Amino acid sequence: MTRLQFMSTFFYKKITSVPQRSRGDTISTDELFESIAKRWLIARGVDLFTKKMVFVPVHHEFHWSVAVLCNLDAFLHGWSTGSDPESKQRPCILYLDSVRPASPGGMTKALRSFLAVYARARQTALFSPGHCRPSRRGAASSSTMHLAAVLNPPQPESTESAFMPLAQECRQDEMEDSTVATDVIDVICGDSNSTPLMTRKHAFHAELDETSDVLPQTTGLVFDGDSLPLLKPKVPLQENSMDCGIYTLMYVEYLATKWPESYQLDRLNQRTSELFGTSDVDAYRMEIERVVRCLAHSQGIENLPESVCYDIDAADMEDA
Amino acid sequence: MSSDTSDKKPAVSDVKTSGGDQINLKVRDADGNEVQFRIKKHTPLRKLMDAYCTRKGVDLHSYRFLFDGNRINEDDTPEKLGMEDMDSIDAMLFQQGGV
């Protein structure tokens, strides 16, 4: 099973933001990370250490790119710095950028540091029931139960319907062409967590009340940031000054749909460099516009601007 | 964070324990600056978001507002989102990308 997680487009901004200054109190970066780990992820039952790929959209200086945390689940199976560096399933950070050769300064450090704090908060939530703030919206379960159930799901269907809506829908064997595009656009638009997720959460709470005594078998997750190297595979590069978003989405779509677990890291470089061509980009741009307009329509947003720049060839084809 | 004059019930310097129907919410930006608002639990958060943008002197749609990482919609209320007294909202600038 492919397990994917699409992070909010604001996640990267948040973990690289200045910690809050509140009435003279300052909080440390670790405290900021802990707050994000608990409230953005753990309280919602998101367990990053069960994922094969965690997509982190990166916005930096008016430019979009994406970092992908790969094979984090290896840490649940005892991965450490001393593990086989040639392993095909080794954890790493992939950075895919259509313009720049280098990732934003501090990106790798921020991601590693966040994961270290997240790993600790996760352990605490799993093994110290009641430590975390009770979950919201009046439900009885604690975040401990969310994670426990995700790690050790009582019934596959319940997990599927509750907490991995994006990931589950992206399973390759069930893929429809537009699914990932829709999901990613949804995430890019920052609206991935509207009412449907809330509804699913409520359903999940109900499931958990009956299975709250189930705790996962995993103990002692050790996360070592040094064993999470940064890799920059070759990717197609944009040829203009406006397509970073389209290229970023195409990288994500490619990895999410065309890179199952059997595609090993050592083959990635070769494959990504020939992911797609310019004509694919043109078609994808039109597709994304269609998806955006559909999403807007479905949400009652009618005042989108008209397209100002159609691809001539593609427009001709539509007319024909 | 001191308050200023505004017709939207802005921050107050001495936080009172909110009554049954009102809660205090903190809105903070990516630079760590924080503004506090008091709002009724059934008031649409659109009012708070508009007040924040007005206070910052920016267009109403310059910021995306997040609660625990989830985007806040205009019609959402503190009650609907399960907000509690002194909870924090993130005000994130719209992330224009075009390079």
Side-chain angles (χ1 to χ4, degrees), chain A residues 141-162:
Chain A
S141 320
S142 72
S143 50
T144 301
M145 300 175 197
H146 291 275
L147 267 183
V150 169
L151 284 175
N152 198 357
Q155 298 167 7
E157 298 84 15
S158 67
T159 309
E160 192 164 318
S161 62

PDB file of all heavy atoms in Angstrom, chain A residues 141-162:
ATOM      1  N   SER A 141     -12.311  11.238  22.566  1.00  0.00           N
ATOM      2  CA  SER A 141     -11.013  10.600  22.379  1.00  0.00           C
ATOM      3  C   SER A 141      -9.873  11.571  22.599  1.00  0.00           C
ATOM      4  O   SER A 141     -10.015  12.766  22.406  1.00  0.00           O
ATOM      5  CB  SER A 141     -10.897  10.068  20.965  1.00  0.00           C
ATOM      6  OG  SER A 141     -12.086   9.508  20.558  1.00  0.00           O
ATOM      7  N   SER A 142      -8.740  11.063  22.972  1.00  0.00           N
ATOM      8  CA  SER A 142      -7.548  11.896  23.045  1.00  0.00           C
ATOM      9  C   SER A 142      -6.713  11.648  21.801  1.00  0.00           C
ATOM     10  O   SER A 142      -6.946  10.709  21.054  1.00  0.00           O
ATOM     11  CB  SER A 142      -6.731  11.544  24.284  1.00  0.00           C
ATOM     12  OG  SER A 142      -6.117  10.298  24.079  1.00  0.00           O
ATOM     13  N   SER A 143      -5.733  12.499  21.611  1.00  0.00           N
ATOM     14  CA  SER A 143      -4.882  12.321  20.437  1.00  0.00           C
ATOM     15  C   SER A 143      -4.138  10.993  20.500  1.00  0.00           C
ATOM     16  O   SER A 143      -3.766  10.421  19.495  1.00  0.00           O
ATOM     17  CB  SER A 143      -3.906  13.479  20.330  1.00  0.00           C
ATOM     18  OG  SER A 143      -3.263  13.661  21.561  1.00  0.00           O
ATOM     19  N   THR A 144      -3.935  10.513  21.702  1.00  0.00           N
ATOM     20  CA  THR A 144      -3.304   9.211  21.844  1.00  0.00           C
ATOM     21  C   THR A 144      -4.066   8.154  21.056  1.00  0.00           C
ATOM     22  O   THR A 144      -3.508   7.335  20.350  1.00  0.00           O
ATOM     23  CB  THR A 144      -3.310   8.789  23.323  1.00  0.00           C
ATOM     24  OG1 THR A 144      -2.616   9.768  24.053  1.00  0.00           O
ATOM     25  CG2 THR A 144      -2.654   7.451  23.494  1.00  0.00           C
ATOM     26  N   MET A 145      -5.360   8.216  21.186  1.00  0.00           N
ATOM     27  CA  MET A 145      -6.175   7.194  20.533  1.00  0.00           C
ATOM     28  C   MET A 145      -6.133   7.344  19.022  1.00  0.00           C
ATOM     29  O   MET A 145      -6.130   6.365  18.308  1.00  0.00           O
ATOM     30  CB  MET A 145      -7.606   7.289  21.036  1.00  0.00           C
ATOM     31  CG  MET A 145      -7.694   7.072  22.535  1.00  0.00           C
ATOM     32  SD  MET A 145      -9.354   7.334  23.099  1.00  0.00           S
ATOM     33  CE  MET A 145      -9.085   7.527  24.850  1.00  0.00           C
ATOM     34  N   HIS A 146      -6.096   8.573  18.574  1.00  0.00           N
ATOM     35  CA  HIS A 146      -6.005   8.761  17.126  1.00  0.00           C
ATOM     36  C   HIS A 146      -4.790   8.029  16.587  1.00  0.00           C
ATOM     37  O   HIS A 146      -4.874   7.235  15.678  1.00  0.00           O
ATOM     38  CB  HIS A 146      -5.819  10.243  16.767  1.00  0.00           C
ATOM     39  CG  HIS A 146      -7.014  11.062  17.030  1.00  0.00           C
ATOM     40  ND1 HIS A 146      -8.023  11.183  16.129  1.00  0.00           N
ATOM     41  CD2 HIS A 146      -7.357  11.815  18.082  1.00  0.00           C
ATOM     42  CE1 HIS A 146      -8.941  11.978  16.620  1.00  0.00           C
ATOM     43  NE2 HIS A 146      -8.560  12.384  17.804  1.00  0.00           N
ATOM     44  N   LEU A 147      -3.656   8.313  17.215  1.00  0.00           N
ATOM     45  CA  LEU A 147      -2.422   7.743  16.698  1.00  0.00           C
ATOM     46  C   LEU A 147      -2.408   6.241  16.850  1.00  0.00           C
ATOM     47  O   LEU A 147      -1.983   5.514  15.962  1.00  0.00           O
ATOM     48  CB  LEU A 147      -1.226   8.344  17.439  1.00  0.00           C
ATOM     49  CG  LEU A 147      -0.619   9.555  16.766  1.00  0.00           C
ATOM     50  CD1 LEU A 147       0.588  10.002  17.555  1.00  0.00           C
ATOM     51  CD2 LEU A 147      -0.218   9.230  15.340  1.00  0.00           C
ATOM     52  N   ALA A 148      -2.893   5.796  17.974  1.00  0.00           N
ATOM     53  CA  ALA A 148      -2.902   4.359  18.202  1.00  0.00           C
ATOM     54  C   ALA A 148      -3.674   3.658  17.098  1.00  0.00           C
ATOM     55  O   ALA A 148      -3.254   2.645  16.557  1.00  0.00           O
ATOM     56  CB  ALA A 148      -3.530   4.060  19.559  1.00  0.00           C
ATOM     57  N   ALA A 149      -4.788   4.227  16.764  1.00  0.00           N
ATOM     58  CA  ALA A 149      -5.626   3.578  15.767  1.00  0.00           C
ATOM     59  C   ALA A 149      -5.017   3.665  14.374  1.00  0.00           C
ATOM     60  O   ALA A 149      -5.180   2.770  13.566  1.00  0.00           O
ATOM     61  CB  ALA A 149      -7.008   4.194  15.771  1.00  0.00           C
ATOM     62  N   VAL A 150      -4.326   4.742  14.125  1.00  0.00           N
ATOM     63  CA  VAL A 150      -3.702   4.865  12.811  1.00  0.00           C
ATOM     64  C   VAL A 150      -2.587   3.835  12.672  1.00  0.00           C
ATOM     65  O   VAL A 150      -2.403   3.212  11.637  1.00  0.00           O
ATOM     66  CB  VAL A 150      -3.162   6.285  12.594  1.00  0.00           C
ATOM     67  CG1 VAL A 150      -2.285   6.335  11.351  1.00  0.00           C
ATOM     68  CG2 VAL A 150      -4.314   7.258  12.445  1.00  0.00           C
ATOM     69  N   LEU A 151      -1.846   3.674  13.771  1.00  0.00           N
ATOM     70  CA  LEU A 151      -0.736   2.733  13.719  1.00  0.00           C
ATOM     71  C   LEU A 151      -1.221   1.294  13.702  1.00  0.00           C
ATOM     72  O   LEU A 151      -0.587   0.419  13.153  1.00  0.00           O
ATOM     73  CB  LEU A 151       0.166   2.922  14.946  1.00  0.00           C
ATOM     74  CG  LEU A 151       1.060   4.148  14.880  1.00  0.00           C
ATOM     75  CD1 LEU A 151       1.800   4.287  16.186  1.00  0.00           C
ATOM     76  CD2 LEU A 151       2.032   4.015  13.737  1.00  0.00           C
ATOM     77  N   ASN A 152      -2.337   1.090  14.320  1.00  0.00           N
ATOM     78  CA  ASN A 152      -2.807  -0.267  14.494  1.00  0.00           C
ATOM     79  C   ASN A 152      -4.299  -0.291  14.222  1.00  0.00           C
ATOM     80  O   ASN A 152      -5.105  -0.492  15.114  1.00  0.00           O
ATOM     81  CB  ASN A 152      -2.518  -0.702  15.939  1.00  0.00           C
ATOM     82  CG  ASN A 152      -2.581  -2.202  16.052  1.00  0.00           C
ATOM     83  OD1 ASN A 152      -2.894  -2.893  15.094  1.00  0.00           O
ATOM     84  ND2 ASN A 152      -2.309  -2.699  17.239  1.00  0.00           N
ATOM     85  N   PRO A 153      -4.643  -0.043  12.992  1.00  0.00           N
ATOM     86  CA  PRO A 153      -6.051   0.206  12.685  1.00  0.00           C
ATOM     87  C   PRO A 153      -6.923  -0.993  13.005  1.00  0.00           C
ATOM     88  O   PRO A 153      -6.596  -2.123  12.639  1.00  0.00           O
ATOM     89  CB  PRO A 153      -6.037   0.488  11.178  1.00  0.00           C
ATOM     90  CG  PRO A 153      -4.777  -0.104  10.687  1.00  0.00           C
ATOM     91  CD  PRO A 153      -3.798  -0.042  11.805  1.00  0.00           C
ATOM     92  N   PRO A 154      -8.006  -0.753  13.703  1.00  0.00           N
ATOM     93  CA  PRO A 154      -8.914  -1.844  14.030  1.00  0.00           C
ATOM     94  C   PRO A 154      -9.551  -2.431  12.784  1.00  0.00           C
ATOM     95  O   PRO A 154      -9.714  -3.629  12.662  1.00  0.00           O
ATOM     96  CB  PRO A 154      -9.962  -1.193  14.928  1.00  0.00           C
ATOM     97  CG  PRO A 154      -9.840   0.279  14.677  1.00  0.00           C
ATOM     98  CD  PRO A 154      -8.429   0.522  14.243  1.00  0.00           C
ATOM     99  N   GLN A 155      -9.919  -1.572  11.855  1.00  0.00           N
ATOM    100  CA  GLN A 155     -10.492  -2.035  10.599  1.00  0.00           C
ATOM    101  C   GLN A 155      -9.934  -1.156   9.497  1.00  0.00           C
ATOM    102  O   GLN A 155      -9.944   0.051   9.626  1.00  0.00           O
ATOM    103  CB  GLN A 155     -12.016  -1.873  10.600  1.00  0.00           C
ATOM    104  CG  GLN A 155     -12.712  -2.673  11.667  1.00  0.00           C
ATOM    105  CD  GLN A 155     -14.146  -2.226  11.822  1.00  0.00           C
ATOM    106  OE1 GLN A 155     -14.635  -1.412  11.056  1.00  0.00           O
ATOM    107  NE2 GLN A 155     -14.787  -2.762  12.845  1.00  0.00           N
ATOM    108  N   PRO A 156      -9.470  -1.762   8.443  1.00  0.00           N
ATOM    109  CA  PRO A 156      -8.905  -0.955   7.361  1.00  0.00           C
ATOM    110  C   PRO A 156      -9.856   0.133   6.876  1.00  0.00           C
ATOM    111  O   PRO A 156      -9.460   1.243   6.648  1.00  0.00           O
ATOM    112  CB  PRO A 156      -8.647  -1.989   6.266  1.00  0.00           C
ATOM    113  CG  PRO A 156      -8.505  -3.276   6.985  1.00  0.00           C
ATOM    114  CD  PRO A 156      -9.385  -3.184   8.183  1.00  0.00           C
ATOM    115  N   GLU A 157     -11.129  -0.187   6.786  1.00  0.00           N
ATOM    116  CA  GLU A 157     -12.062   0.796   6.221  1.00  0.00           C
ATOM    117  C   GLU A 157     -12.119   2.046   7.069  1.00  0.00           C
ATOM    118  O   GLU A 157     -12.218   3.145   6.577  1.00  0.00           O
ATOM    119  CB  GLU A 157     -13.477   0.232   6.101  1.00  0.00           C
ATOM    120  CG  GLU A 157     -13.608  -0.955   5.175  1.00  0.00           C
ATOM    121  CD  GLU A 157     -13.244  -2.230   5.889  1.00  0.00           C
ATOM    122  OE1 GLU A 157     -13.173  -2.231   7.129  1.00  0.00           O
ATOM    123  OE2 GLU A 157     -12.998  -3.223   5.205  1.00  0.00           O
ATOM    124  N   SER A 158     -12.060   1.867   8.377  1.00  0.00           N
ATOM    125  CA  SER A 158     -12.241   3.037   9.223  1.00  0.00           C
ATOM    126  C   SER A 158     -11.082   4.000   9.061  1.00  0.00           C
ATOM    127  O   SER A 158     -11.270   5.206   8.990  1.00  0.00           O
ATOM    128  CB  SER A 158     -12.376   2.609  10.687  1.00  0.00           C
ATOM    129  OG  SER A 158     -11.160   2.070  11.134  1.00  0.00           O
ATOM    130  N   THR A 159      -9.876   3.468   8.981  1.00  0.00           N
ATOM    131  CA  THR A 159      -8.733   4.347   8.789  1.00  0.00           C
ATOM    132  C   THR A 159      -8.827   5.043   7.437  1.00  0.00           C
ATOM    133  O   THR A 159      -8.603   6.230   7.312  1.00  0.00           O
ATOM    134  CB  THR A 159      -7.423   3.539   8.833  1.00  0.00           C
ATOM    135  OG1 THR A 159      -7.437   2.754  10.006  1.00  0.00           O
ATOM    136  CG2 THR A 159      -6.234   4.452   8.836  1.00  0.00           C
ATOM    137  N   GLU A 160      -9.220   4.257   6.486  1.00  0.00           N
ATOM    138  CA  GLU A 160      -9.288   4.783   5.134  1.00  0.00           C
ATOM    139  C   GLU A 160     -10.250   5.957   5.057  1.00  0.00           C
ATOM    140  O   GLU A 160      -9.954   6.997   4.521  1.00  0.00           O
ATOM    141  CB  GLU A 160      -9.741   3.667   4.205  1.00  0.00           C
ATOM    142  CG  GLU A 160      -9.585   3.984   2.753  1.00  0.00           C
ATOM    143  CD  GLU A 160      -9.674   2.723   1.931  1.00  0.00           C
ATOM    144  OE1 GLU A 160      -9.097   1.713   2.359  1.00  0.00           O
ATOM    145  OE2 GLU A 160     -10.328   2.768   0.907  1.00  0.00           O
ATOM    146  N   SER A 161     -11.393   5.770   5.653  1.00  0.00           N
ATOM    147  CA  SER A 161     -12.395   6.810   5.526  1.00  0.00           C
ATOM    148  C   SER A 161     -12.071   7.993   6.425  1.00  0.00           C
ATOM    149  O   SER A 161     -12.533   9.087   6.188  1.00  0.00           O
ATOM    150  CB  SER A 161     -13.765   6.252   5.892  1.00  0.00           C
ATOM    151  OG  SER A 161     -13.751   5.831   7.235  1.00  0.00           O
ATOM    152  N   ALA A 162     -11.263   7.753   7.431  1.00  0.00           N
ATOM    153  CA  ALA A 162     -11.103   8.830   8.394  1.00  0.00           C
ATOM    154  C   ALA A 162      -9.878   9.691   8.139  1.00  0.00           C
ATOM    155  O   ALA A 162      -9.988  10.902   8.054  1.00  0.00           O
ATOM    156  CB  ALA A 162     -11.014   8.241   9.799  1.00  0.00           C
TER     157      ALA A 162
END
